[in-house]
Amino acid sequence: MNEKNSERMLEDLAIPTVDVSPFIVIGEDEDHLARKSAAIETISRASSEYGFFQIVNHGIPTELLTEALELSEKFFGCPGEEKRKSSPGMGAPLPAGYSKQPDHSPDKNEYLLVFPPGSNFNIYPENPPRLREVIERVFDHLVGLGSLLQAVINDCMGLPPGFLKEYNHDRSWDFMAALRYYPATESEDNGITEHADGNCITFVFQDDVGGLEVCKDGEWIPVVPQQGRIIVNLGDVIQVLSNNKFKSATHRVVRKERSRHSYAFFYNLNGDKWVEPLPEFAEKIGKKPEYRGFLYKDYQDLRLRNKTHPPSRPEDVIHINHYAIP
């Protein structure tokens, strides 16, 4: 294989990068409309093929993302006794605060999970001192970015203007995790096993270590770290609403020789919402629904059980196919 063909193959495997500034800056000139149309086309294609893309010119300062990664690295570098001071309390729908995966889990990472700023569930470390302030600033930025991308996905799906905004207007179930994946060992390199996210939209930004991979057409594509870029992947809710037209991205993290630090923000859905294929992707186009409807919180309870009590057989793990109609 010559060098040019090799470069073309790598280019074909790379996940798309989308400039989202046309959705942020108002403009009606021909160039602006062309860039907006191109972005919608790219996002639509990526969403229907495998549900993964990355964005630039998103309006979140690169310096803020970098500082967030640096501060979380300092926190995870603290002794275990110090980190455990931020262990989760009782009553939260997810373990807010500091946690690490249990020894029996195939996933090898530790994380600091937070709900929206002001939530009574949040438990922040005292050190490093600026961590809470920076995390809350990042959280607020990503809520805004979620609203923006949800509107774009709404257009890509051909839904009436504002449909997804009305359907998913409650931000109380959003959450974010700062993660540290342990260095690989000679016998094991799994950071988090192959999975798809159960929510609506996920945002990820990462340090320079790498290890995040997305599956497309049976091939695992590495998501090469680039400062300031934010990775976007669609979750199971969008896949069900679109009746499999848009895909929930299958991805994993492979551990490297150094610890990997990243943040994952989950633009979520209220637990009491009913999820089922929309008529626009089923009855109205003469297609049968491919999923039976369900309460979102019921599905999340099943997914959490996967984590707390991992099945002995991989085929027993509950995922969105649990609701698939044969």
Side-chain angles (χ1 to χ4, degrees):
M1 181 182 299
N2 62 42
E3 184 175 344
K4 182 173 290 187
N5 286 341
S6 178
E7 289 177 355
R8 174 62 59 84
M9 285 187 65
L10 289 173
E11 183 178 314
D12 291 342
L13 285 175
I15 67 171
T17 298
V18 183
D19 178 355
V20 294
S21 62
F23 304 107
I24 299 173
V25 179
I26 298 175
E28 295 297 331
D29 61 89
E30 187 174 333
D31 178 65
H32 181 273
L33 295 176
R35 290 189 296 117
K36 191 173 184 178
S37 176
I40 289 176
E41 181 180 348
T42 300
I43 292 172
S44 297
R45 185 174 66 252
S47 298
S48 62
E49 291 179 357
Y50 56 113
F52 228 77
F53 55 96
Q54 56 189 345
I55 57 175
V56 295
N57 297 327
H58 42 68
I60 304 179
T62 299
E63 298 80 8
L64 179 62
L65 302 179
T66 300
E67 185 178 15
L69 289 166
E70 291 172 347
L71 290 172
S72 69
E73 183 175 0
K74 288 180 180 178
F75 168 69
F76 289 122
C78 292
E81 181 180 351
E82 179 68 21
K83 289 184 286 191
R84 285 191 293 272
K85 292 179 181 178
S86 306
S87 294
M90 300 296 291
L94 290 172
Y98 169 76
S99 299
K100 61 183 297 187
Q101 299 291 353
D103 293 339
H104 63 263
S105 173
D107 300 336
K108 304 299 179 185
N109 59 66
E110 56 183 341
Y111 56 92
L112 180 69
L113 189 149
V114 298
F115 287 103
S119 169
N120 293 330
F121 296 131
N122 286 340
I123 301 174
Y124 287 99
E126 294 184 1
N127 291 301
R130 278 179 50 77
L131 182 59
R132 175 174 182 168
E133 175 192 343
V134 170
I135 279 180
E136 291 188 342
R137 286 177 60 200
V138 170
F139 199 109
D140 286 341
H141 273 291
L142 290 174
V143 168
L145 188 60
S147 178
L148 176 74
L149 262 293
Q150 181 172 256
V152 175
I153 297 297
N154 189 99
D155 290 346
C156 292
M157 294 173 71
L159 295 172
F163 179 90
L164 288 180
K165 180 180 180 181
E166 183 178 349
Y167 175 76
N168 182 27
H169 63 275
D170 184 343
R171 303 273 50 88
S172 61
W173 279 57
D174 294 346
F175 67 94
M176 183 170 72
L179 296 120
R180 177 208 172 206
Y181 293 90
Y182 307 126
T185 66
E186 290 185 2
S187 60
E188 212 280 318
D189 66 356
N190 178 65
I192 188 167
T193 51
E194 173 183 338
H195 69 287
D197 292 344
N199 61 321
C200 296
I201 306 171
T202 302
F203 299 119
V204 172
F205 60 97
Q206 57 180 335
D207 63 12
D208 63 348
V209 173
L212 176 61
E213 298 180 349
V214 59
C215 188
K216 180 188 180 188
D217 300 329
E219 297 282 342
W220 284 104
I221 305 170
V223 182
V224 180
Q226 296 199 46
Q227 191 177 44
R229 295 193 178 189
I230 293 179
I231 300 144
V232 183
N233 70 267
L234 303 187
D236 291 339
V237 171
I238 299 297
Q239 178 167 304
V240 172
L241 292 178
S242 71
N243 206 25
N244 275 340
K245 179 179 180 179
F246 280 12
K247 302 298 187 294
S248 180
T250 299
H251 54 289
R252 68 183 183 186
V253 173
V254 177
R255 287 149 61 198
K256 302 296 184 179
E257 66 279 359
R258 291 191 289 130
S259 290
R260 172 184 183 263
H261 294 87
S262 64
Y263 280 78
F265 177 89
F266 299 89
Y267 198 75
N268 224 332
L269 188 67
N270 182 280
D272 291 324
K273 292 295 290 188
W274 185 256
V275 184
E276 65 181 353
L278 296 172
E280 287 84 352
F281 300 97
E283 295 92 339
K284 289 184 178 180
I285 59 172
K287 187 176 180 182
K288 293 181 179 179
E290 298 188 25
Y291 298 94
R292 55 190 171 92
F294 56 91
L295 271 181
Y296 183 65
K297 62 184 177 184
D298 290 345
Y299 180 41
Q300 292 310 292
D301 286 344
L302 292 172
R303 288 176 61 93
L304 185 59
R305 193 182 307 166
N306 288 343
K307 294 290 186 181
T308 56
H309 299 84
S312 57
R313 301 186 308 165
E315 58 267 32
D316 293 332
V317 173
I318 298 293
H319 43 70
I320 199 59
N321 282 347
H322 176 73
Y323 297 102
I325 299 174

